[in-house]
Amino acid sequence: MKLDAETKTFIGQRFLLWLCDLKADGADWVPVRLFFQAHGIREKDMWKITQAVADKLVEHHVGAGGYGSYQVRLTDCGVKEAKGLRRAVLSSPVRTKYTWDALLKWTFKSRSGIPLDANAFLGTQESCCFGEPMDRNDLDEALVYLRDEGLIETDGHVVLRITRDGFNCVMGDVKVSDYVNRRGGGHMYSTNFHGPVQGAQVGGEGNTQNNAFTLDASELRKFAAQVRELAPQLNLDETVEAELVDEVDELEEAASEASPEAGKLRRLFNRVMQLLGSAPDSVIAQLLLTGGQQAITGVLGR
């Protein structure tokens, strides 16, 4: 399994939660290989990921046996961090993209020429994202996304068929997000055709069509909601935290407008990121900063 930087960060967060669960069950020093072998992660990646977890969160011990004897245990600070991190990890962009890929590949593998009940995907080995089972919300969102991007055809929770684009994506061993971006699709913009509305006209006489381009700022709305939820765990001064929440409210409101303004979104987003950048360094702060950059890129393309 080749891991990009985003996925390595995500696995490191899952690793932290795994240690927290074991500590709650009374475990102390834990062999690292148990987690990484269970998730098919290479030994050299295991070392990089665990070393990236801040020393204040875990203690490390490597015996004479090298990697094979490598153990860690969670500190009290790590327990606190993990508890605050749990919900944020479950809504991570990595989890969302993983679900897209897993559902499309499962659909491809399970195709038999007859409609397929997507509910059967839940509970399969493919429906676990680094040890965390996907739920119905994950499935519903992935079905809608894959359908809207033309990779599958659906009727509710029934997958009628995988499309040519879906087939090409799987056979080319390409991630769904990469395939959609290369194809020039994605949900950065949605095109609505109305008439008559103000906009550029296309077509000749008797064939006039008006089009308007509307920013899809849903990723910024999700980001704003996540910042509001996790703000109390950023250890900000009360005045700064209150200011952050106010700015987040404005960003969410701007992103919810019928025709969001790119300049306004950028200005409010930059202010939120500035306030997040003033928070003490923590896994949650880094998660939000990373998520913010992904959200603004998805909406404005840069």
Side-chain angles (χ1 to χ4, degrees), residues 206-283:
N207 184 31
T208 300
Q209 190 175 39
N210 291 278
N211 61 71
F213 294 91
T214 304
L215 279 174
D216 179 357
S218 58
E219 292 301 315
L220 282 177
R221 292 198 298 272
K222 293 178 182 178
F223 168 65
Q226 190 174 50
V227 174
R228 183 187 299 107
E229 180 180 1
L230 297 177
Q233 300 174 42
L234 291 171
N235 296 319
L236 290 166
D237 178 82
E238 290 184 5
T239 303
V240 177
E241 181 181 330
E243 185 179 359
L244 173 62
V245 172
D246 287 342
E247 294 291 345
V248 163
D249 288 342
E250 288 194 41
L251 175 61
E252 187 174 48
E253 183 178 347
S256 300
E257 293 176 355
S259 298
E261 300 176 21
K264 184 177 181 180
L265 291 176
R266 172 69 68 179
R267 184 175 66 256
L268 292 171
F269 169 80
N270 286 344
R271 181 56 182 156
V272 169
M273 293 295 279
Q274 181 182 6
L275 292 169
L276 283 175
S278 70
D281 187 37
S282 69
V283 175

Side-chain angles (χ1 to χ4, degrees), residues 99-118 121 126 139 143 146 151-154 158-163 166 170:
T99 309
W100 296 344
D101 295 332
L103 179 58
L104 185 64
K105 289 179 180 178
W106 176 82
T107 301
F108 175 85
K109 186 178 72 173
S110 304
R111 72 193 192 286
S112 59
I114 60 175
L116 181 66
D117 183 1
F121 171 71
E126 294 94 331
L139 174 62
L143 281 172
L146 295 178
L151 303 179
I152 59 175
E153 291 181 4
T154 65
V158 175
V159 179
L160 300 177
R161 71 183 187 92
I162 186 169
T163 66
V170 175

